[in-house]
Amino acid sequence: MEFSIKQGSSEKLKSGCVVVGVFEGGKLSAAAQAIDKAAKHALSDLIAQGDMSGKTASTLLLHKLPGVAAERVLLVGLGKADELNNKTSLDIIDATFKALNATPAKDAALYITDEGVGKDAVWVLKQAALSAAEHAFRADGLKSKPAEPATLKHITFATLDKPAAALKNVLEQTAAVTRGMALTKTLANLPGNICTPTYLAAQALALGKAHKNIKTTVLEEKDMQKLGMGSFLSVTRGSEQPAKLITLEYNGADKKQKPVVLVGKGITFDTGGISLKPGADMDEMKYDMCGAASVLGTMQAIAEMGLKLNVVGVIPTCENMPSGKATKPGDIVTSMSGQTIEILNTDAEGRLILCDALTYSSKFNPDTVIDIATLTGACVIALGHVASGLFSNEDKLAQELIAAGEQTHDRVWQMPLWEDYQPLLDSNFADMANIGGRAGGTITAACFLARFTKDYRWAHLDIAGTAWKSGKDKGATGRPVPLLTQYLINRANK
Ligand code: BES
Ligand code: MN
Ligand code: ZN
């Protein structure tokens, strides 16, 4: 999908389809008015006859209007002007691309940033570009006969007045975000028999090849052994696939600038191990590497942007499998930090690989560390599929992430990291247990990680509810790539 910005009058702009808004009650947006005038009141007539209500997200497609240069005109209902909000805005954008993709138009010109579709032109532009890419994304690469790719290939954000200078930069960055998200989604959707730790490592090495400012390194199990990563290695024991510890170093600023480290959970399949999961929907545990995939997508996006910042991606990746060699409930392991862990449930494996990756991250002398993980089913119960869970040991960092989430509509909700929860991890035999019981399961998982992140500023994102969709629309969402890239863009701009 390609994007551009263009100033021009709506009736004269040549395109496969020009999109203009109509308010509920029949008031035309400025771009619609120009078309109405050129087409001898064709739009006003339609509205007067009740063919277009202007109700939020309603659409009407018109062909070859006289006096209009575009082959088609898509009218989109904007609802009542004073009732527009982020949600109706997104509904309007979604309806627009559904309707556009039902036409054979190869390109479209959207008059939506200057009037009507939202309060904030930058926000609307970002969401429209993300929606266009989402509608064009295909997940059928493993079908013997994949569907045709989308015909709609080029979106022009058209404006009547001179577009704000900032829009162009925002659009270029958002285009990079859509490509990063596509990488994240493609990797996440791959099944566990293809997307193994070795496969993820190969993808990371390929990213390093494609971008000269990314350096990828892959550590093997013997290296992890030497580093004392007993916790990480305990998870991979039952698997025939070798575990990998991937690091990607993106150098966009002065070497001396401390990096932001992104740590992504990369369990390429989570059976639960000896604490085996029930069979229903277990296929979805191929998505247990979505944190890792979001790190790769984010690294690609910022490398394309050439962001002036140093960022390191750290990806601990392995399978969680049962076998004769697998770790058993009650086993005690020593983490790289020296702290010992009683593994009471082998299905709480994400924190076991993350804690060693977090300790390892200190070696980059980080300014900030953010881990991203499909960590707990409890997070899905708490926040559903709307917000990712956010924890941080510094409130300013939490606020920055919350703001970046709002800017991209890839939102997070902060949860407490209070000391009061820590005793739930007490163990009679080791420094801590790896589970804290059913109550507050998302919080105790974060509290576990907090024991390994005392040396730096840190945030944890639990993306269990937001990284993929289940049911008929099963598929990865590409979240939280928009959030992470926006946070990094904001930092680079500071
Ligand atoms: N990968 C899962 C978390 C998960 C489950 C994400 C379902 C999305 C949907 C994680 O490894 C896990 O199994 N967590 C356990 C922790 C429990 C044993 C303390 C869970 O959430 O049940
Ligand atoms: Mn698990
Ligand atoms: Zn897991």
Side-chain angles (χ1 to χ4, degrees), residues 258-427:
K258 290 175 159 193
V260 176
V261 179
L262 304 176
V263 181
K265 173 178 173 182
I267 296 289
T268 58
F269 198 85
D270 182 10
T271 66
I274 296 299
S275 311
L276 195 65
K277 285 183 180 295
D281 298 326
M282 205 210 273
D283 67 290
E284 295 192 7
M285 284 298 113
K286 72 176 182 178
Y287 288 117
D288 215 16
M289 38 60 76
C290 280
S294 76
V295 171
L296 292 171
T298 300
M299 297 300 289
Q300 178 185 290
I302 62 165
E304 280 187 15
M305 290 175 202
L307 222 57
K308 292 189 169 47
L309 206 67
N310 294 332
V311 182
V312 180
V314 175
I315 297 174
T317 174
C318 70
E319 291 181 332
N320 186 21
M321 299 288 282
S323 98
K325 286 190 197 148
T327 295
K328 305 166 292 297
D331 285 2
I332 294 177
V333 298
T334 305
S335 66
M336 184 181 175
S337 73
Q339 298 177 93
T340 58
I341 304 162
E342 185 185 16
I343 300 175
L344 290 176
N345 190 318
T346 64
D347 197 11
E349 85 298 340
R351 61 200 79 180
L352 296 175
I353 69 168
L354 287 170
C355 69
D356 281 343
L358 287 164
T359 302
Y360 182 74
S361 296
S362 281
K363 104 182 192 111
F364 298 102
N365 189 24
D367 175 87
T368 302
V369 178
I370 302 171
D371 78 74
I372 306 102
T374 48
L375 202 62
T376 65
C379 193
V380 190
I381 304 302
L383 299 175
H385 303 287
V386 177
S388 303
L390 164 68
F391 296 84
S392 181
N393 61 11
E394 196 209 67
D395 211 51
K396 184 166 157 284
L397 172 58
Q399 292 307 321
E400 287 166 357
L401 287 165
I402 290 167
E406 294 293 341
Q407 280 174 279
T408 50
H409 203 69
D410 184 2
R411 292 168 299 172
V412 294
W413 192 257
Q414 191 177 3
M415 296 163 96
L417 253 189
W418 297 327
E419 284 297 316
D420 311 53
Y421 292 99
Q422 286 290 355
L424 293 169
L425 294 170
D426 283 351
S427 158

Side-chain angles (χ1 to χ4, degrees), residues 160-313:
L160 296 173
D161 304 321
K162 196 170 170 356
L167 277 190
K168 190 158 172 287
N169 194 23
V170 169
L171 186 58
E172 269 165 24
Q173 291 181 330
T174 309
V177 172
T178 64
R179 290 186 288 269
M181 290 173 84
L183 172 65
T184 299
K185 288 193 270 191
T186 300
L187 290 175
N189 285 332
L190 284 174
N193 63 330
I194 294 176
C195 186
T196 58
T198 304
Y199 185 93
L200 275 185
Q203 291 290 313
L205 288 165
L207 258 188
K209 261 228 156 86
H211 300 276
K212 59 177 185 303
N213 43 13
I214 294 182
K215 191 182 105 201
T216 304
T217 318
V218 179
L219 296 191
E220 306 295 330
E221 288 181 10
K222 60 178 190 314
D223 306 312
M224 301 175 213
Q225 201 90 54
K226 280 187 206 134
L227 287 164
M229 296 186 165
S231 184
F232 181 3
L233 288 167
S234 76
V235 177
T236 194
R237 281 188 65 80
S239 171
E240 301 287 323
Q241 293 287 338
K244 307 277 173 181
L245 179 64
I246 306 165
T247 60
L248 305 103
E249 293 170 74
Y250 168 75
N251 210 251
D254 190 294
K255 282 237 157 56
K256 284 185 294 236
Q257 196 185 93
K258 290 175 159 193
V260 176
V261 179
L262 304 176
V263 181
K265 173 178 173 182
I267 296 289
T268 58
F269 198 85
D270 182 10
T271 66
I274 296 299
S275 311
L276 195 65
K277 285 183 180 295
D281 298 326
M282 205 210 273
D283 67 290
E284 295 192 7
M285 284 298 113
K286 72 176 182 178
Y287 288 117
D288 215 16
M289 38 60 76
C290 280
S294 76
V295 171
L296 292 171
T298 300
M299 297 300 289
Q300 178 185 290
I302 62 165
E304 280 187 15
M305 290 175 202
L307 222 57
K308 292 189 169 47
L309 206 67
N310 294 332
V311 182
V312 180

Side-chain angles (χ1 to χ4, degrees), residues 83-232:
E83 284 173 12
L84 258 174
N85 57 41
N86 288 353
K87 174 77 174 70
T88 57
S89 231
L90 290 171
D91 290 345
I92 292 162
I93 291 166
D94 186 58
T96 299
F97 287 105
K98 267 206 191 87
L100 283 174
N101 278 298
T103 78
K106 294 190 188 73
D107 67 299
L110 277 59
Y111 283 87
I112 57 169
T113 53
D114 47 353
E115 192 189 2
V117 181
K119 307 171 268 272
D120 174 353
V122 167
W123 191 91
V124 174
L125 182 92
K126 278 183 201 160
Q127 293 311 314
L130 295 183
S131 176
E134 169 68 20
H135 279 274
F137 183 78
R138 296 285 181 272
D140 58 358
L142 292 174
K143 294 200 185 200
S144 55
K145 293 188 184 68
E148 291 292 314
T151 38
L152 184 63
K153 294 236 153 53
H154 192 115
I155 305 297
T156 303
F157 292 98
T159 57
L160 296 173
D161 304 321
K162 196 170 170 356
L167 277 190
K168 190 158 172 287
N169 194 23
V170 169
L171 186 58
E172 269 165 24
Q173 291 181 330
T174 309
V177 172
T178 64
R179 290 186 288 269
M181 290 173 84
L183 172 65
T184 299
K185 288 193 270 191
T186 300
L187 290 175
N189 285 332
L190 284 174
N193 63 330
I194 294 176
C195 186
T196 58
T198 304
Y199 185 93
L200 275 185
Q203 291 290 313
L205 288 165
L207 258 188
K209 261 228 156 86
H211 300 276
K212 59 177 185 303
N213 43 13
I214 294 182
K215 191 182 105 201
T216 304
T217 318
V218 179
L219 296 191
E220 306 295 330
E221 288 181 10
K222 60 178 190 314
D223 306 312
M224 301 175 213
Q225 201 90 54
K226 280 187 206 134
L227 287 164
M229 296 186 165
S231 184
F232 181 3

